[in-house]
Amino acid sequence: MRSLCLLLLFAVQALAQRPPVVFVNGWDRDWLPLLGGTCQPVCNQSGCDASVTFGNMPAILQGVQVYMFDNCYASGRQNFPIESLGQLFGQFIASIPSPQVDVVAHSMGGLIVRAYLAGIGETVISPPLNIKIRKAV
């Protein structure tokens, strides 16, 4: 019984030490103005639904704080430059109250994360000094 209690204690501590996970969605072809599409954010004033893009993955991460960087919601419009989205992503993760985060990106979301890490802006290249990303997938 004591071994089981110790095992549960270690499992709870491991979850408590895990950094938050930030999901970054990709490009939505429905945004294409030629097809009459508009930017359809999965976030709004009350929160985000990462399961729209990532299915069951956010629910599987029980006990881990989950955040969603929705590039449509963050930019407020379609056809926003990747460089600018990278800067917005950097501001987003800087606002998360944790020293590190893990990132799961899909499609264009990976380009956004790469632009942030490379420090690529619309006019300058300035990599971040304090990279909060522990792991990115």
Side-chain angles (χ1 to χ4, degrees):
M1 182 65 167
R2 180 179 173 170
S3 298
L4 179 61
C5 289
L6 286 174
L7 181 63
L8 287 174
L9 178 63
F10 287 127
V12 168
Q13 287 177 340
L15 279 176
Q17 294 173 356
R18 292 258 337 253
V21 174
V22 179
F23 290 96
V24 186
N25 62 349
W27 185 74
D28 184 351
R29 71 171 179 81
D30 293 332
W31 289 16
L32 285 174
L34 296 174
L35 300 177
T38 58
C39 195
Q40 299 294 324
V42 296
C43 294
N44 56 41
Q45 296 294 340
S46 60
C48 296
D49 184 6
S51 67
V52 170
T53 302
F54 296 95
N56 294 338
M57 193 177 296
I60 291 171
L61 297 171
Q62 294 178 351
V64 176
Q65 181 69 42
V66 172
Y67 293 90
M68 173 76 184
F69 179 80
D70 176 6
N71 60 65
C72 180
Y73 182 73
S75 67
R77 64 184 176 91
Q78 60 195 19
N79 300 325
F80 204 68
I82 293 286
E83 299 86 0
S84 297
L85 287 168
Q87 292 172 336
L88 290 174
F89 176 71
Q91 294 168 8
F92 178 81
I93 63 171
S95 71
I96 295 173
S98 175
Q100 291 186 314
V101 298
D102 289 339
V103 177
V104 178
H106 168 67
S107 188
M108 186 178 85
L111 298 176
I112 293 168
V113 174
R114 185 173 72 176
Y116 159 71
L117 290 171
I120 301 171
E122 287 189 63
T123 57
V124 297
I125 296 178
S126 178
L129 298 175
N130 181 19
I131 299 174
K132 289 181 68 167
I133 296 176
R134 182 182 75 132
K135 294 180 181 179
V137 178

